[in-house]
Amino acid sequence: MQREDPLHRWFVTEVLPLERELERFIARHCRERDEVVDLRQGCYERALEGAARALPQSSRAYLFTIAR
């Protein structure tokens, strides 16, 4: 049996469900609509880098702070 990585589990269960809300947030604050997906991916990358050190207590607050 393969153990599931806690970082992967956190990302799938806590971060990915926020995708639509995150995209709307970025779109409201971004002048170029074509950049929304790239910015979202950048937020995911930064979130994973930081969470690799320690998982945040509030995933939503953490992700939207990065997006801001």
Side-chain angles (χ1 to χ4, degrees):
M1 181 186 266
Q2 188 178 15
R3 285 180 25 187
E4 190 174 327
D5 177 23
L7 181 61
H8 178 264
R9 184 174 46 248
W10 168 79
F11 187 78
V12 170
T13 61
E14 299 286 327
V15 176
L16 286 182
L18 299 170
E19 186 168 301
R20 278 187 145 162
E21 188 179 355
L22 178 62
E23 283 185 349
R24 285 192 303 265
F25 177 84
I26 294 170
R28 281 193 312 267
H29 296 89
C30 180
R31 293 179 188 194
E32 297 295 324
R33 297 286 182 196
D34 296 340
E35 293 181 11
V36 171
V37 172
D38 290 338
L39 291 169
R40 183 198 69 207
Q41 290 304 115
C43 290
Y44 286 166
E45 187 176 328
R46 288 179 133 190
L48 282 167
E49 287 173 0
R53 287 180 239 122
L55 294 178
Q57 288 186 1
S58 173
S59 299
R60 186 184 184 286
Y62 177 65
L63 185 63
F64 282 83
T65 296
I66 291 169
R68 207 171 289 113

